[in-house]
mmCIF file of all heavy atoms in Angstrom:
data_model
loop_
_atom_site.group_PDB
_atom_site.id
_atom_site.type_symbol
_atom_site.label_atom_id
_atom_site.label_comp_id
_atom_site.label_asym_id
_atom_site.label_seq_id
_atom_site.Cartn_x
_atom_site.Cartn_y
_atom_site.Cartn_z
ATOM 1 N N ALA A 1 -68.304 -216.592 -108.266
ATOM 2 C CA ALA A 1 -68.505 -218.099 -108.116
ATOM 3 C C ALA A 1 -68.288 -218.471 -106.649
ATOM 4 O O ALA A 1 -68.995 -219.419 -106.207
ATOM 5 C CB ALA A 1 -67.588 -218.853 -109.046
ATOM 6 N N ARG A 2 -67.386 -217.858 -105.938
ATOM 7 C CA ARG A 2 -67.167 -218.145 -104.519
ATOM 8 C C ARG A 2 -68.279 -217.630 -103.668
ATOM 9 O O ARG A 2 -68.766 -218.261 -102.765
ATOM 10 C CB ARG A 2 -65.788 -217.618 -104.067
ATOM 11 C CG ARG A 2 -64.688 -218.521 -104.328
ATOM 12 C CD ARG A 2 -63.447 -218.069 -103.598
ATOM 13 N NE ARG A 2 -62.830 -216.878 -104.090
ATOM 14 C CZ ARG A 2 -62.024 -216.840 -105.119
ATOM 15 N NH1 ARG A 2 -61.638 -217.933 -105.738
ATOM 16 N NH2 ARG A 2 -61.551 -215.690 -105.544
ATOM 17 N N ALA A 3 -68.724 -216.368 -103.929
ATOM 18 C CA ALA A 3 -69.665 -215.687 -103.122
ATOM 19 C C ALA A 3 -71.109 -216.204 -103.334
ATOM 20 O O ALA A 3 -71.913 -216.279 -102.361
ATOM 21 C CB ALA A 3 -69.662 -214.152 -103.397
ATOM 22 N N ALA A 4 -71.446 -216.477 -104.576
ATOM 23 C CA ALA A 4 -72.834 -216.881 -104.917
ATOM 24 C C ALA A 4 -72.804 -217.940 -105.981
ATOM 25 O O ALA A 4 -73.290 -217.735 -107.098
ATOM 26 C CB ALA A 4 -73.651 -215.676 -105.349
ATOM 27 N N PRO A 5 -72.294 -219.158 -105.701
ATOM 28 C CA PRO A 5 -72.094 -220.153 -106.750
ATOM 29 C C PRO A 5 -73.338 -220.583 -107.493
ATOM 30 O O PRO A 5 -73.345 -220.802 -108.680
ATOM 31 C CB PRO A 5 -71.523 -221.325 -106.018
ATOM 32 C CG PRO A 5 -71.771 -221.125 -104.567
ATOM 33 C CD PRO A 5 -71.942 -219.617 -104.353
ATOM 34 N N ARG A 6 -74.513 -220.555 -106.810
ATOM 35 C CA ARG A 6 -75.775 -221.048 -107.453
ATOM 36 C C ARG A 6 -76.572 -219.948 -108.125
ATOM 37 O O ARG A 6 -77.531 -220.144 -108.828
ATOM 38 C CB ARG A 6 -76.645 -221.695 -106.403
ATOM 39 C CG ARG A 6 -76.002 -222.863 -105.670
ATOM 40 C CD ARG A 6 -75.956 -224.172 -106.535
ATOM 41 N NE ARG A 6 -75.439 -225.280 -105.791
ATOM 42 C CZ ARG A 6 -74.183 -225.763 -105.927
ATOM 43 N NH1 ARG A 6 -73.371 -225.209 -106.798
ATOM 44 N NH2 ARG A 6 -73.759 -226.795 -105.171
ATOM 45 N N ARG A 7 -76.138 -218.701 -107.903
ATOM 46 C CA ARG A 7 -76.855 -217.589 -108.491
ATOM 47 C C ARG A 7 -76.710 -217.605 -110.028
ATOM 48 O O ARG A 7 -75.641 -217.938 -110.565
ATOM 49 C CB ARG A 7 -76.337 -216.242 -107.968
ATOM 50 C CG ARG A 7 -77.205 -215.098 -108.487
ATOM 51 C CD ARG A 7 -76.858 -213.774 -107.806
ATOM 52 N NE ARG A 7 -77.331 -213.866 -106.427
ATOM 53 C CZ ARG A 7 -76.866 -213.066 -105.468
ATOM 54 N NH1 ARG A 7 -75.969 -212.247 -105.650
ATOM 55 N NH2 ARG A 7 -77.424 -213.201 -104.273
ATOM 56 N N THR A 8 -77.754 -217.261 -110.766
ATOM 57 C CA THR A 8 -77.732 -217.252 -112.236
ATOM 58 C C THR A 8 -76.735 -216.171 -112.752
ATOM 59 O O THR A 8 -76.837 -215.036 -112.371
ATOM 60 C CB THR A 8 -79.145 -217.007 -112.802
ATOM 61 O OG1 THR A 8 -79.997 -218.065 -112.349
ATOM 62 C CG2 THR A 8 -79.093 -217.050 -114.293
ATOM 63 N N ALA A 9 -75.873 -216.595 -113.640
ATOM 64 C CA ALA A 9 -74.883 -215.721 -114.237
ATOM 65 C C ALA A 9 -75.257 -215.319 -115.594
ATOM 66 O O ALA A 9 -75.085 -214.147 -115.975
ATOM 67 C CB ALA A 9 -73.485 -216.417 -114.234
ATOM 68 N N VAL A 10 -75.743 -216.261 -116.397
ATOM 69 C CA VAL A 10 -76.054 -216.042 -117.805
ATOM 70 C C VAL A 10 -77.396 -216.744 -118.142
ATOM 71 O O VAL A 10 -77.542 -217.858 -117.799
ATOM 72 C CB VAL A 10 -74.939 -216.522 -118.769
ATOM 73 C CG1 VAL A 10 -75.294 -216.200 -120.222
ATOM 74 C CG2 VAL A 10 -73.595 -215.939 -118.357
ATOM 75 N N ILE A 11 -78.241 -215.970 -118.891
ATOM 76 C CA ILE A 11 -79.460 -216.546 -119.434
ATOM 77 C C ILE A 11 -79.411 -216.460 -120.920
ATOM 78 O O ILE A 11 -79.123 -215.403 -121.461
ATOM 79 C CB ILE A 11 -80.721 -215.858 -118.850
ATOM 80 C CG1 ILE A 11 -80.752 -216.009 -117.331
ATOM 81 C CG2 ILE A 11 -81.951 -216.428 -119.511
ATOM 82 C CD1 ILE A 11 -81.818 -215.109 -116.731
ATOM 83 N N ASP A 12 -79.725 -217.584 -121.627
ATOM 84 C CA ASP A 12 -79.744 -217.625 -123.074
ATOM 85 C C ASP A 12 -81.037 -218.350 -123.460
ATOM 86 O O ASP A 12 -81.086 -219.543 -123.519
ATOM 87 C CB ASP A 12 -78.513 -218.414 -123.579
ATOM 88 C CG ASP A 12 -78.527 -218.641 -125.067
ATOM 89 O OD1 ASP A 12 -79.290 -217.935 -125.767
ATOM 90 O OD2 ASP A 12 -77.767 -219.462 -125.569
ATOM 91 N N GLY A 13 -82.074 -217.540 -123.680
ATOM 92 C CA GLY A 13 -83.398 -218.107 -123.985
ATOM 93 C C GLY A 13 -83.912 -218.948 -122.849
ATOM 94 O O GLY A 13 -84.094 -218.442 -121.756
ATOM 95 N N GLU A 14 -84.056 -220.214 -123.080
ATOM 96 C CA GLU A 14 -84.522 -221.155 -122.070
ATOM 97 C C GLU A 14 -83.381 -221.713 -121.160
ATOM 98 O O GLU A 14 -83.653 -222.396 -120.172
ATOM 99 C CB GLU A 14 -85.334 -222.295 -122.666
ATOM 100 C CG GLU A 14 -86.579 -221.893 -123.411
ATOM 101 C CD GLU A 14 -87.643 -221.293 -122.526
ATOM 102 O OE1 GLU A 14 -87.865 -221.855 -121.426
ATOM 103 O OE2 GLU A 14 -88.186 -220.266 -122.887
ATOM 104 N N ARG A 15 -82.200 -221.505 -121.623
ATOM 105 C CA ARG A 15 -81.032 -222.033 -120.892
ATOM 106 C C ARG A 15 -80.430 -221.029 -119.933
ATOM 107 O O ARG A 15 -80.449 -219.804 -120.266
ATOM 108 C CB ARG A 15 -79.930 -222.504 -121.873
ATOM 109 C CG ARG A 15 -80.404 -223.541 -122.898
ATOM 110 C CD ARG A 15 -79.316 -224.029 -123.789
ATOM 111 N NE ARG A 15 -78.591 -222.919 -124.466
ATOM 112 C CZ ARG A 15 -77.338 -223.087 -124.937
ATOM 113 N NH1 ARG A 15 -76.692 -224.176 -124.767
ATOM 114 N NH2 ARG A 15 -76.743 -222.041 -125.482
ATOM 115 N N ALA A 16 -79.862 -221.495 -118.829
ATOM 116 C CA ALA A 16 -79.226 -220.570 -117.865
ATOM 117 C C ALA A 16 -78.104 -221.362 -117.222
ATOM 118 O O ALA A 16 -78.160 -222.571 -117.090
ATOM 119 C CB ALA A 16 -80.186 -220.099 -116.839
ATOM 120 N N ILE A 17 -77.049 -220.616 -116.833
ATOM 121 C CA ILE A 17 -75.985 -221.245 -116.028
ATOM 122 C C ILE A 17 -75.665 -220.372 -114.826
ATOM 123 O O ILE A 17 -75.841 -219.141 -114.837
ATOM 124 C CB ILE A 17 -74.695 -221.488 -116.844
ATOM 125 C CG1 ILE A 17 -74.149 -220.230 -117.473
ATOM 126 C CG2 ILE A 17 -74.922 -222.588 -117.891
ATOM 127 C CD1 ILE A 17 -72.823 -220.440 -118.169
ATOM 128 N N SER A 18 -75.202 -221.009 -113.721
ATOM 129 C CA SER A 18 -74.833 -220.318 -112.524
ATOM 130 C C SER A 18 -73.412 -219.778 -112.714
ATOM 131 O O SER A 18 -72.638 -220.117 -113.607
ATOM 132 C CB SER A 18 -74.907 -221.319 -111.369
ATOM 133 O OG SER A 18 -73.893 -222.263 -111.512
ATOM 134 N N TYR A 19 -72.994 -218.970 -111.687
ATOM 135 C CA TYR A 19 -71.653 -218.492 -111.637
ATOM 136 C C TYR A 19 -70.648 -219.618 -111.506
ATOM 137 O O TYR A 19 -69.571 -219.636 -112.080
ATOM 138 C CB TYR A 19 -71.414 -217.455 -110.506
ATOM 139 C CG TYR A 19 -71.986 -216.100 -110.825
ATOM 140 C CD1 TYR A 19 -73.209 -215.658 -110.275
ATOM 141 C CD2 TYR A 19 -71.353 -215.292 -111.673
ATOM 142 C CE1 TYR A 19 -73.707 -214.389 -110.571
ATOM 143 C CE2 TYR A 19 -71.840 -214.020 -112.020
ATOM 144 C CZ TYR A 19 -73.045 -213.603 -111.444
ATOM 145 O OH TYR A 19 -73.532 -212.358 -111.816
ATOM 146 N N GLU A 20 -70.980 -220.638 -110.721
ATOM 147 C CA GLU A 20 -70.137 -221.799 -110.536
ATOM 148 C C GLU A 20 -69.934 -222.523 -111.869
ATOM 149 O O GLU A 20 -68.804 -222.899 -112.226
ATOM 150 C CB GLU A 20 -70.749 -222.711 -109.490
ATOM 151 C CG GLU A 20 -69.922 -223.918 -109.206
ATOM 152 C CD GLU A 20 -70.511 -224.781 -108.122
ATOM 153 O OE1 GLU A 20 -71.769 -225.144 -108.220
ATOM 154 O OE2 GLU A 20 -69.789 -225.115 -107.176
ATOM 155 N N GLU A 21 -71.044 -222.703 -112.574
ATOM 156 C CA GLU A 21 -70.949 -223.466 -113.881
ATOM 157 C C GLU A 21 -70.159 -222.589 -114.899
ATOM 158 O O GLU A 21 -69.354 -223.162 -115.676
ATOM 159 C CB GLU A 21 -72.351 -223.714 -114.438
ATOM 160 C CG GLU A 21 -73.130 -224.753 -113.580
ATOM 161 C CD GLU A 21 -74.582 -224.802 -113.927
ATOM 162 O OE1 GLU A 21 -75.219 -223.735 -114.179
ATOM 163 O OE2 GLU A 21 -75.168 -225.940 -113.942
ATOM 164 N N LEU A 22 -70.369 -221.328 -114.902
ATOM 165 C CA LEU A 22 -69.588 -220.452 -115.776
ATOM 166 C C LEU A 22 -68.116 -220.488 -115.453
ATOM 167 O O LEU A 22 -67.268 -220.585 -116.384
ATOM 168 C CB LEU A 22 -70.146 -218.995 -115.719
ATOM 169 C CG LEU A 22 -69.455 -217.994 -116.584
ATOM 170 C CD1 LEU A 22 -69.415 -218.322 -118.016
ATOM 171 C CD2 LEU A 22 -70.101 -216.616 -116.395
ATOM 172 N N ASP A 23 -67.738 -220.404 -114.181
ATOM 173 C CA ASP A 23 -66.398 -220.504 -113.770
ATOM 174 C C ASP A 23 -65.766 -221.850 -114.159
ATOM 175 O O ASP A 23 -64.667 -221.878 -114.684
ATOM 176 C CB ASP A 23 -66.306 -220.316 -112.252
ATOM 177 C CG ASP A 23 -64.876 -220.222 -111.711
ATOM 178 O OD1 ASP A 23 -64.063 -219.560 -112.333
ATOM 179 O OD2 ASP A 23 -64.623 -220.925 -110.672
ATOM 180 N N GLU A 24 -66.514 -222.923 -113.870
ATOM 181 C CA GLU A 24 -66.002 -224.287 -114.255
ATOM 182 C C GLU A 24 -65.759 -224.413 -115.785
ATOM 183 O O GLU A 24 -64.700 -224.907 -116.226
ATOM 184 C CB GLU A 24 -66.875 -225.339 -113.747
ATOM 185 C CG GLU A 24 -66.879 -225.482 -112.259
ATOM 186 C CD GLU A 24 -67.880 -226.450 -111.715
ATOM 187 O OE1 GLU A 24 -68.788 -226.904 -112.487
ATOM 188 O OE2 GLU A 24 -67.845 -226.725 -110.473
ATOM 189 N N GLY A 25 -66.736 -223.969 -116.571
ATOM 190 C CA GLY A 25 -66.643 -224.010 -118.009
ATOM 191 C C GLY A 25 -65.496 -223.148 -118.545
ATOM 192 O O GLY A 25 -64.738 -223.610 -119.415
ATOM 193 N N SER A 26 -65.314 -222.001 -117.982
ATOM 194 C CA SER A 26 -64.192 -221.146 -118.438
ATOM 195 C C SER A 26 -62.848 -221.770 -118.108
ATOM 196 O O SER A 26 -61.911 -221.666 -118.927
ATOM 197 C CB SER A 26 -64.324 -219.743 -117.895
ATOM 198 O OG SER A 26 -64.066 -219.720 -116.465
ATOM 199 N N ASN A 27 -62.782 -222.450 -116.953
ATOM 200 C CA ASN A 27 -61.521 -223.173 -116.623
ATOM 201 C C ASN A 27 -61.241 -224.311 -117.626
ATOM 202 O O ASN A 27 -60.101 -224.590 -117.993
ATOM 203 C CB ASN A 27 -61.550 -223.701 -115.192
ATOM 204 C CG ASN A 27 -61.494 -222.526 -114.189
ATOM 205 O OD1 ASN A 27 -60.781 -221.593 -114.408
ATOM 206 N ND2 ASN A 27 -62.201 -222.655 -113.111
ATOM 207 N N GLN A 28 -62.307 -224.991 -118.057
ATOM 208 C CA GLN A 28 -62.141 -226.045 -119.025
ATOM 209 C C GLN A 28 -61.629 -225.492 -120.349
ATOM 210 O O GLN A 28 -60.768 -226.066 -120.997
ATOM 211 C CB GLN A 28 -63.467 -226.826 -119.230
ATOM 212 C CG GLN A 28 -63.845 -227.632 -117.997
ATOM 213 C CD GLN A 28 -65.200 -228.215 -118.082
ATOM 214 O OE1 GLN A 28 -66.156 -227.593 -118.534
ATOM 215 N NE2 GLN A 28 -65.372 -229.477 -117.709
ATOM 216 N N VAL A 29 -62.153 -224.408 -120.810
ATOM 217 C CA VAL A 29 -61.689 -223.766 -122.047
ATOM 218 C C VAL A 29 -60.254 -223.341 -121.856
ATOM 219 O O VAL A 29 -59.393 -223.564 -122.728
ATOM 220 C CB VAL A 29 -62.617 -222.579 -122.450
ATOM 221 C CG1 VAL A 29 -61.960 -221.816 -123.632
ATOM 222 C CG2 VAL A 29 -63.980 -223.059 -122.819
ATOM 223 N N ALA A 30 -59.923 -222.705 -120.758
ATOM 224 C CA ALA A 30 -58.562 -222.271 -120.512
ATOM 225 C C ALA A 30 -57.593 -223.455 -120.505
ATOM 226 O O ALA A 30 -56.439 -223.346 -121.088
ATOM 227 C CB ALA A 30 -58.500 -221.541 -119.146
ATOM 228 N N ARG A 31 -57.939 -224.491 -119.905
ATOM 229 C CA ARG A 31 -57.103 -225.686 -119.877
ATOM 230 C C ARG A 31 -56.921 -226.281 -121.220
ATOM 231 O O ARG A 31 -55.815 -226.673 -121.626
ATOM 232 C CB ARG A 31 -57.671 -226.780 -118.938
ATOM 233 C CG ARG A 31 -57.581 -226.487 -117.512
ATOM 234 C CD ARG A 31 -57.736 -227.688 -116.647
ATOM 235 N NE ARG A 31 -57.428 -227.329 -115.308
ATOM 236 C CZ ARG A 31 -56.237 -227.134 -114.861
ATOM 237 N NH1 ARG A 31 -55.143 -227.347 -115.602
ATOM 238 N NH2 ARG A 31 -55.998 -226.807 -113.597
ATOM 239 N N THR A 32 -57.943 -226.314 -122.037
ATOM 240 C CA THR A 32 -57.850 -226.793 -123.433
ATOM 241 C C THR A 32 -56.889 -225.888 -124.211
ATOM 242 O O THR A 32 -56.010 -226.418 -124.905
ATOM 243 C CB THR A 32 -59.255 -226.736 -124.129
ATOM 244 O OG1 THR A 32 -60.118 -227.550 -123.351
ATOM 245 C CG2 THR A 32 -59.103 -227.234 -125.519
ATOM 246 N N LEU A 33 -56.992 -224.627 -124.089
ATOM 247 C CA LEU A 33 -56.060 -223.731 -124.766
ATOM 248 C C LEU A 33 -54.673 -223.943 -124.253
ATOM 249 O O LEU A 33 -53.689 -224.056 -125.092
ATOM 250 C CB LEU A 33 -56.487 -222.229 -124.516
ATOM 251 C CG LEU A 33 -57.810 -221.868 -125.233
ATOM 252 C CD1 LEU A 33 -58.200 -220.462 -124.800
ATOM 253 C CD2 LEU A 33 -57.739 -221.965 -126.689
ATOM 254 N N GLN A 34 -54.422 -224.110 -123.003
ATOM 255 C CA GLN A 34 -53.133 -224.337 -122.407
ATOM 256 C C GLN A 34 -52.560 -225.659 -122.992
ATOM 257 O O GLN A 34 -51.387 -225.697 -123.302
ATOM 258 C CB GLN A 34 -53.307 -224.439 -120.847
ATOM 259 C CG GLN A 34 -51.933 -224.562 -120.164
ATOM 260 C CD GLN A 34 -52.144 -224.665 -118.673
ATOM 261 O OE1 GLN A 34 -52.911 -225.448 -118.173
ATOM 262 N NE2 GLN A 34 -51.456 -223.835 -117.931
ATOM 263 N N GLU A 35 -53.376 -226.673 -123.080
ATOM 264 C CA GLU A 35 -52.914 -227.978 -123.660
ATOM 265 C C GLU A 35 -52.455 -227.798 -125.088
ATOM 266 O O GLU A 35 -51.583 -228.537 -125.600
ATOM 267 C CB GLU A 35 -53.983 -228.997 -123.592
ATOM 268 C CG GLU A 35 -54.296 -229.508 -122.187
ATOM 269 C CD GLU A 35 -55.578 -230.337 -122.145
ATOM 270 O OE1 GLU A 35 -56.111 -230.761 -123.140
ATOM 271 O OE2 GLU A 35 -56.011 -230.634 -120.950
ATOM 272 N N LEU A 36 -53.052 -226.832 -125.833
ATOM 273 C CA LEU A 36 -52.646 -226.538 -127.227
ATOM 274 C C LEU A 36 -51.461 -225.636 -127.281
ATOM 275 O O LEU A 36 -51.049 -225.250 -128.384
ATOM 276 C CB LEU A 36 -53.856 -225.959 -127.966
ATOM 277 C CG LEU A 36 -55.048 -226.857 -128.202
ATOM 278 C CD1 LEU A 36 -56.240 -226.047 -128.663
ATOM 279 C CD2 LEU A 36 -54.710 -227.974 -129.160
ATOM 280 N N GLY A 37 -50.913 -225.265 -126.150
ATOM 281 C CA GLY A 37 -49.767 -224.339 -126.086
ATOM 282 C C GLY A 37 -50.139 -222.862 -126.249
ATOM 283 O O GLY A 37 -49.378 -222.058 -126.682
ATOM 284 N N ILE A 38 -51.409 -222.552 -125.963
ATOM 285 C CA ILE A 38 -51.938 -221.194 -126.179
ATOM 286 C C ILE A 38 -52.118 -220.575 -124.773
ATOM 287 O O ILE A 38 -52.787 -221.122 -123.922
ATOM 288 C CB ILE A 38 -53.255 -221.222 -126.956
ATOM 289 C CG1 ILE A 38 -52.962 -221.833 -128.351
ATOM 290 C CG2 ILE A 38 -53.869 -219.895 -127.061
ATOM 291 C CD1 ILE A 38 -54.232 -222.286 -129.060
ATOM 292 N N GLY A 39 -51.526 -219.414 -124.614
ATOM 293 C CA GLY A 39 -51.688 -218.717 -123.325
ATOM 294 C C GLY A 39 -51.430 -217.230 -123.462
ATOM 295 O O GLY A 39 -51.923 -216.587 -124.426
#
């Protein structure tokens, strides 16, 4: 995400996300789990 933030990381049919978007989304999931006391 730091080296190539705009490069495509995942393709799902017609949808795709960049490394930056994947990193941001994973941080949101991690924060949600942390808020639930899960780590």
Side-chain angles (χ1 to χ4, degrees):
R2 275 193 289 276
R6 303 281 185 257
R7 186 172 288 159
T8 300
V10 181
I11 299 172
D12 176 14
E14 298 294 317
R15 303 184 307 156
I17 58 174
S18 67
Y19 282 105
E20 180 178 53
E21 292 167 322
L22 178 55
D23 185 45
E24 290 174 351
S26 69
N27 290 323
Q28 290 172 319
V29 171
R31 287 199 172 281
T32 301
L33 294 173
Q34 186 181 50
E35 289 169 13
L36 292 169
I38 298 165

